[in-house]
Every structure is written in structure tokens, then in C-alpha cells.
Amino acid sequence: MPVTIRDVSTILTQPAGSRLIVVKIVTSQPGLYGLGCATFTQRFHAVHTAIEKHLKPFLIGRDVDRIEDIWQTSMVNGYWRNGPVLNNAISGVDIALWDIKGKRAGMPVYQLLGGKCREAAACYAHADGGDRNEVLDNVLKFHEQGYQHIRVQMGGYGGRTSRLRAPEGAQEGAYYDPREYARGVLDMIGHVRANTAPHVELLHDVHERLVPIDAVQFAKDAEPFKLFFLEDPLAPEDLEWFRNIRRQCATPIAMGELFNHPREWTPLIQDRLIDFIRMHVSQMGGLTPARNAAAFAGMYGIRTAWHGPGDVSPVGHAANLHLDLWAPNFGIQEWCRFDDRVSEIFPGTPEVRGGYMYPNDRPGLGIDLNEDLAAKYPCQDEIIDWTQTRLPDGSPARP
């Protein structure tokens, strides 16, 4: 007799800065349940509604073993597909079903994917600062903790604008000057590179803050620093410009956290225009499509670097880790360094020691959720400021 889905619930919690969405699938087998990440922190109400009002009625009574069938039918049941709200909702279900599958098999999920290619996943930490010396100090601190890969930023995404002259009556927003940012960050990267050991790998995230031609120039100017990768130099709307970057420099490129549709990453992989895929696993629809994308990228010599900020729940980070341990083409894993409060809410949160993320080898994803404790930190509604980005003259810009 098959084990079926008896209930689907959505847990919303905000123990730190980001609103987290976790899906819990309860099965017909007593005590057996799975957890999945559906976190779309900026639109958490919409994902919650999609799960509770649309996916849940569709899923009740279905066989938990039929992961692929459930993913395929969930994706097309709403007819329109591959948007961030629906993809995150489906991801929560998909990851939870993989968690259940592992628990039923008595194996960690990485075993179901094909087994380990490594014992732990190398991670990178984020070193920010108000000026180049503060960034360097933070880089050295992370290196002392064992991190060999460190992402360097200065003043946040787009940098702090020191000479902003907005016109009278300009709208409020998160202002930045793209060209000032580019000059300042290139100077900072050069300073850090000159004052760290050659084996310390440096990364940087442009966060699509430059117009395409300036992004090409930035990638060329960064080439002497031999970055481990340059992240998101272009927006998803400007994919054709990756060819210009590739023709003019050898700076490794990572791309993908805003991708929803396979047609966004497929041409970049096929034409070898990027070096790392770093999709937000819940936004692309879960473990099932991420496994397929990793295998596809591996055929072209492109490595993985899954998105792993604070607005990926610990359940999502656990899913990332299982992919990292399995994928022969693993590259690096972003790690946001959760505090003890988050780890208390999510027992089994992956541990990072000496710059490596280790699994706990429990069946499934190896992570649980203290729902009573999570409920003490309800999600707060807010109008998000950092995505209201503007150029010096007040024009709206991509965040």
C-alpha cells in the first residue's frame, strides 16, 4: 500500500532579517514527514497562498514516492509556469518529498542522487566594509577562520555614493552611482589582492548594477586580479552581452540567482558563456530541476555555486549541501553564517568548520524544525527599501 500525502502545511518565520518559508508534508505513515524550502522573502504572502490554496488541494492523497510525476504535474497544473511564486511553492513540496524519500530509504539524500564525490563542501564567506582597509581586515579575519574563498564587497551592493547630486524633487530610494562604484571596487579588489596570500581566492558580486558595456569593461579591468569568479555582471534581460565579456577577457563568471526558466540558463551553459551556475534552488523549482541543471552543466565543464544567502532557509541550505556533496562538477557554496537562534529553530542546520560545510549523515536532508520556537518569530510586513534602487539623477534602476 503506498504512502500518501495526508497534509501540507506552510511555516512562516523570521528569526533573523529574512522571512523564511518552509513546507511540511505529513504522510499517511505515522511520524513520517518531510521539510522543504519555499523561501521568496520579498513576496512570502504570495507563496504561502499558492501553497495553501492551490498546491495543497492538488497534492492530498498522492503517492509520496512519485516525486518526478508530482513535480511535472504541479508545474503545469496552473497552465502558466516558471514564475518565482509558483516555482518556490513547488520547490517546497519537491524538497520535502526528497526528504521523505531519504527517510524511507534510511539514507541521506546525497546517497539517492548517486553518492558522495567529496566529504564536505568548500564555502565562501562575505567580507564587506566601508573602505578598502576595512574590507581587507575582514578578509584576513575570515582567512584565519579557515575560509579559502572570500567574497569582497565595499559599502554593500553598488557601493555607497559619496558625491550624489540628485535633482530637486527626486524620489526617495537606495541611490548609487554605477561608475563611482566600479572605480572604487576595482581599487579595493586590487588593494586586497596585493595584501593577501595568492592562495586566498577572491570573489565579487556586481549584482547587475552596471549597464552592459560598463560590465564588460569591469570584467576586463578585474582580469589581472584573477578572481575565483565575478558574480552577476549582467541582468537576466542582458544575456546576449555575456558573449562580449567572454570574447574580451578570461574573468570567470557566475550567474543565475534570478533565473526562473530553464531557457535562461540553457544557452549560457551550451555556449560556455559562464563558468558557474548559481541559481536559487527554490526559485528554480527545487531539488529535481537543480539536479538536472547540475548534470547538464557538468557536460559542458561548468561548475555549481548555488545561491546561499540569509534568504535561503536552513532547509534550503541543507538541500544545497546534498547537491554539493554529490555533484562531480561542484565549484563552491555560498554560506551566510546563521546565528545560534536560527540553528536552534532548525536542528541539524549544516555546520561549517574551517571553511567546509559538513553533512550530519542523518536520513533525508538531516534537518528538522521546531515549530513552536519558529512561531515566536512571526514574519513582519514591510516595504522593502534596498530594492528601490535609483541612479544619481533619480531614475529607477535594477537592484
Side-chain angles (χ1 to χ4, degrees), residues 275-292:
D275 303 278
F276 296 85
I277 54 170
R278 53 173 284 99
M279 284 79 89
H280 188 102
V281 168
S282 67
Q283 177 147 302
M284 69 189 298
L287 267 169
T288 295
R291 171 201 59 186
N292 295 343

Side-chain angles (χ1 to χ4, degrees), residues 101-289:
K101 180 81 81 173
K103 289 175 178 176
R104 295 193 71 201
M107 295 180 178
V109 166
Y110 66 74
Q111 294 286 21
L112 306 181
L113 296 171
K116 286 182 182 178
C117 279
R118 58 198 55 83
E119 298 306 309
C123 297
Y124 68 86
H126 305 262
D128 206 326
D131 58 38
R132 66 183 197 170
N133 290 319
E134 186 178 357
V135 176
L136 175 60
D137 288 344
N138 289 326
V139 168
L140 296 175
K141 289 175 184 176
F142 280 126
H143 187 233
E144 289 174 0
Q145 296 172 22
Y147 288 94
Q148 301 299 308
H149 301 76
I150 303 167
R151 197 177 81 178
V152 291
Q153 308 290 137
M154 190 170 69
Y157 299 127
R160 295 190 181 94
T161 299
S162 60
R163 294 184 295 276
L164 178 65
R165 295 185 180 87
E168 297 177 6
Q171 298 292 302
E172 292 185 2
Y175 279 79
Y176 75 101
D177 184 328
R179 292 177 68 83
E180 181 182 341
Y181 147 73
R183 290 189 294 269
V185 165
L186 286 166
D187 175 73
M188 176 271 291
I189 295 173
H191 178 67
V192 173
R193 181 73 285 162
N195 290 280
T196 52
H199 66 268
V200 177
E201 299 285 2
L202 301 179
L203 306 78
H204 178 70
D205 184 2
V206 175
H207 221 265
E208 58 177 332
R209 294 299 181 98
L210 299 173
V211 297
I213 192 62
D214 287 345
V216 175
Q217 184 68 59
F218 189 98
K220 289 178 62 178
D221 291 342
E223 188 175 18
F225 307 132
K226 301 188 185 307
L227 295 177
F228 186 76
F229 68 55
L230 183 66
E231 178 184 340
D232 288 357
L234 298 166
E237 295 84 359
D238 297 320
L239 298 185
E240 291 79 8
W241 280 86
F242 277 105
R243 197 174 303 278
N244 297 72
I245 294 177
R246 190 60 104 208
R247 285 170 177 165
Q248 298 193 45
C249 72
T251 298
I253 302 298
M255 182 66 184
E257 71 185 63
L258 286 172
F259 287 166
N260 295 292
H261 197 293
R263 289 299 298 161
E264 292 175 302
W265 61 78
T266 298
L268 296 182
I269 292 172
Q270 285 180 325
D271 293 342
R272 296 178 172 87
L273 297 178
I274 59 174
D275 303 278
F276 296 85
I277 54 170
R278 53 173 284 99
M279 284 79 89
H280 188 102
V281 168
S282 67
Q283 177 147 302
M284 69 189 298
L287 267 169
T288 295

Side-chain angles (χ1 to χ4, degrees), residues 2 86 91 110 180 245 250 305 321 328 336 345 348 358:
L86 178 62
S91 170
Y110 66 74
E180 181 182 341
I245 294 177
L321 176 57
C336 64
I345 294 172
Y358 292 86

Side-chain angles (χ1 to χ4, degrees), residues 54 59 129 132 152 160 181 200-201 298 334-335 374 382 385 387 394:
H54 301 294
L59 293 167
R132 66 183 197 170
V152 291
R160 295 190 181 94
Y181 147 73
V200 177
E201 299 285 2
E334 180 179 16
W335 174 238
E382 66 169 323
D385 293 326
T387 53

